Amino acid sequence: VYCLLSTVYCLLSTIQLTMDYLTADSLQYLTADYLLVGAGASGMAFLDELVNNSELTVVVVDRRAQPGGHWNDAYDFVRLHQPAAFYGVNSRVLGAGGADLASKAQILVYYELVMKDLIATGQVTWLPLTDYKGNGHLVSLVQEGLEYKVTIKKKVVDATHLLTRVPSTQPPNYSVGEGVHHIPINGLSKITQPWKKYVIIGAGKTGIDAILYLLDLQVNPDQICWIMSNDCWYLNRDNLKKGFDGPDTVKTVLQSNTLEELYKNYEENGHFIRISKDVEPSKMRAATISEAEMTRIRQVKNTIREGRVESISSSQITFKNGVNIPTDLKTLHVDCSASGTIFAPPKQIFSGSTITLQMVRLPAPTYSGTVIAGLEMLWPDEEEKKNEVVQPLDAPHDLPHWFVSFEIHLRNGLKIKQALGFQWIWNRRLGGINISELAGVKMGLLVGAINLVGLGESGKNQMIERLALILKGGEEPKE
């Protein structure tokens, strides 16, 4: 009995010592110059710029298992909506570069390689599947009791302000009855049987992607029904080589005197595009589409414009305006209705010990992250000067919003060039001035020379003045 009691006592003592050790080791202490919360597109661009141009250290935390932000949650067949030349980080070309529309798989591998390179510098500590609780306190999402306390020598960088929502991460904004065949867009690549009809719910880029995917799979356009709560204006991808604020844009803006004329002239000059010229769009969310894609989209003739869906039952779809249309159990309903760019209202970017990453150039979350990092390194302790250079942009939705943000984009661009210098921008592949990756060396050098000597600045200032007048409701005399 004595031997047994001694054995039990020793065992309990060993267990207690082990528990004491684990408890003591469960709180890990880290020290870094910056704590970056979120490893999505803007956060990775900020991180890449900071680490590759300084000896500063960063702890990076994200609730996801790998970098890339919302790309981890997106549907399998999603592709980049803008040329790869303007996306990613400055230290590495994305995919084939240039005009390539990189796939989800390419983008996720890209960010994995970028993070690997940054960790190899010895300046980055990467903590995936970890939640930030505030005040330097981090908690593991996979190991109970594992926590971190980060001593932050400089600032917290919040890269979650532009959190993008996709259908797979939130429920639809309408009710779905029992027995209804209904999936988020992510489910389209996993269907195992043909359906009599496909109902696509959502008029944004996600809805367009769903339709194009079905057409790629040779689904008959007559079997596709498209529910469009609003008609939208889209950016014409074929014209992106001309830039957002080049000579052609200057001409387009200066020949306009009202908001209606702006949209009309942008369409006539090939910058904007819409589904039907018989329907006036009520939204502009800056989604991009090519002329060829739009031609294919127009093959779908069964478009329903009755506003937002209220509910779907086994026999009918009910809209918020009271209209009903029939459906059945041989129909697959595909949710593409998530408003991915309904972000929190813009806030001051540099505020005390916090940097909140937001867009400062259109439509460029990655270049914006780069610019914010560049300003932080240029003037680490001069908050007012940095905030004077970059005013945050709100994501466009209603018709005036695009041009409100475009005016801020123009003002920011002039100030960024003055603060960081032409050479700094020219050496950043995301900057939009050195377009050699997209348009070739000769065109890149020509555009660079124009920007170097400031030939485009007069036009930008003219656009700023005209847009300010139009958005205030005034009108200049016709030229």
Side-chain angles (χ1 to χ4, degrees), residues 154-224:
K154 293 186 179 291
K155 295 169 186 174
V156 173
V157 182
D158 179 6
T160 66
H161 194 81
L162 299 182
L163 181 65
T164 300
R165 294 167 177 82
V166 297
S168 66
T169 60
Q170 64 182 57
N173 52 18
Y174 48 83
S175 62
V176 180
E178 186 176 353
V180 174
H181 297 290
H182 180 277
I183 58 172
I185 184 175
N186 298 58
L188 266 186
S189 59
K190 301 174 177 65
I191 59 177
T192 57
Q193 68 177 73
W195 296 87
K196 183 182 78 172
K197 187 165 69 172
Y198 297 86
V199 175
I200 308 301
I201 304 167
K205 189 63 174 72
T206 305
I208 285 179
D209 281 353
I211 293 172
L212 291 173
Y213 181 69
L214 290 173
L215 294 176
D216 285 342
L217 295 173
Q218 301 184 52
V219 172
N220 188 326
D222 294 336
Q223 292 178 244
I224 300 172

Side-chain angles (χ1 to χ4, degrees), residues 71 77-88 94 98 100-104 107 205 237 288:
W71 291 103
F77 53 90
V78 70
R79 303 189 76 87
L80 196 62
H81 297 165
Q82 58 181 290
F86 304 136
Y87 203 83
L94 171 57
D100 183 42
L101 303 178
S103 68
K104 171 184 176 177
I107 292 168
K205 189 63 174 72
R237 190 184 301 119
T288 64

Side-chain angles (χ1 to χ4, degrees), residues 119-140:
I119 292 172
T121 65
Q123 297 167 246
V124 173
T125 300
W126 166 228
L127 299 175
L129 291 172
T130 303
D131 194 17
Y132 178 55
K133 297 296 186 180
N135 197 30
H137 180 207
L138 313 177
V139 176
S140 170

Side-chain angles (χ1 to χ4, degrees), residues 78-364:
V78 70
R79 303 189 76 87
L80 196 62
H81 297 165
Q82 58 181 290
F86 304 136
Y87 203 83
V89 302
N90 282 306
S91 66
R92 180 186 284 265
V93 172
L94 171 57
D100 183 42
L101 303 178
S103 68
K104 171 184 176 177
Q106 288 175 303
I107 292 168
L108 290 178
V109 169
Y110 172 83
Y111 278 122
E112 184 178 353
L113 293 173
V114 170
M115 182 64 83
K116 182 179 178 181
D117 289 344
L118 294 171
I119 292 172
T121 65
Q123 297 167 246
V124 173
T125 300
W126 166 228
L127 299 175
L129 291 172
T130 303
D131 194 17
Y132 178 55
K133 297 296 186 180
N135 197 30
H137 180 207
L138 313 177
V139 176
S140 170
L141 297 176
V142 293
Q143 175 58 58
E144 185 177 0
L146 176 57
E147 301 183 12
Y148 304 86
K149 179 64 178 176
V150 183
T151 299
I152 306 163
K153 294 193 287 186
K154 293 186 179 291
K155 295 169 186 174
V156 173
V157 182
D158 179 6
T160 66
H161 194 81
L162 299 182
L163 181 65
T164 300
R165 294 167 177 82
V166 297
S168 66
T169 60
Q170 64 182 57
N173 52 18
Y174 48 83
S175 62
V176 180
E178 186 176 353
V180 174
H181 297 290
H182 180 277
I183 58 172
I185 184 175
N186 298 58
L188 266 186
S189 59
K190 301 174 177 65
I191 59 177
T192 57
Q193 68 177 73
W195 296 87
K196 183 182 78 172
K197 187 165 69 172
Y198 297 86
V199 175
I200 308 301
I201 304 167
K205 189 63 174 72
T206 305
I208 285 179
D209 281 353
I211 293 172
L212 291 173
Y213 181 69
L214 290 173
L215 294 176
D216 285 342
L217 295 173
Q218 301 184 52
V219 172
N220 188 326
D222 294 336
Q223 292 178 244
I224 300 172
C225 171
W226 190 10
I227 294 179
M228 305 172 64
S229 58
N230 298 282
D231 273 72
C232 300
W233 287 105
Y234 304 94
L235 293 171
N236 186 344
R237 190 184 301 119
D238 299 331
N239 264 12
L240 288 182
K241 286 183 180 180
K242 297 180 180 179
F244 285 110
D245 44 23
D248 196 51
T249 307
V250 175
K251 177 184 175 182
T252 303
V253 170
L254 295 186
Q255 68 185 14
S256 307
N257 296 285
T258 64
L259 184 64
E260 292 75 16
E261 286 185 9
L262 278 170
Y263 277 100
K264 173 178 175 289
N265 293 331
Y266 263 70
E267 181 181 35
E268 289 181 354
N269 292 337
H271 297 294
F272 291 171
I273 192 170
R274 54 176 155 166
I275 302 296
S276 172
K277 291 197 175 184
D278 296 328
V279 181
E280 285 296 323
S282 59
K283 300 291 182 182
M284 169 51 167
R285 298 192 178 104
T288 64
I289 187 170
S290 69
E291 294 274 7
E293 289 171 331
M294 185 60 80
T295 298
R296 297 178 65 211
I297 285 292
R298 288 172 179 151
Q299 295 175 14
V300 177
K301 304 300 182 183
N302 187 8
T303 54
I304 309 297
R305 294 178 167 91
E306 294 292 350
R308 297 193 178 280
V309 173
E310 176 76 29
S311 63
I312 305 177
S313 71
S314 59
S315 61
Q316 68 181 20
I317 300 173
T318 300
F319 293 85
K320 290 184 181 294
N321 65 2
V323 170
N324 296 311
I325 62 172
T327 190
D328 55 45
L329 296 179
K330 295 181 180 179
T331 294
L332 182 65
H333 306 81
V334 185
D335 178 26
C336 304
S337 64
S339 296
T341 56
I342 301 292
F343 304 133
K347 61 191 296 187
Q348 188 168 274
I349 293 174
F350 299 94
S351 180
S353 61
T354 301
I355 300 171
T356 305
L357 299 186
Q358 295 159 86
M359 274 199 297
V360 299
R361 295 283 281 167
L362 279 175

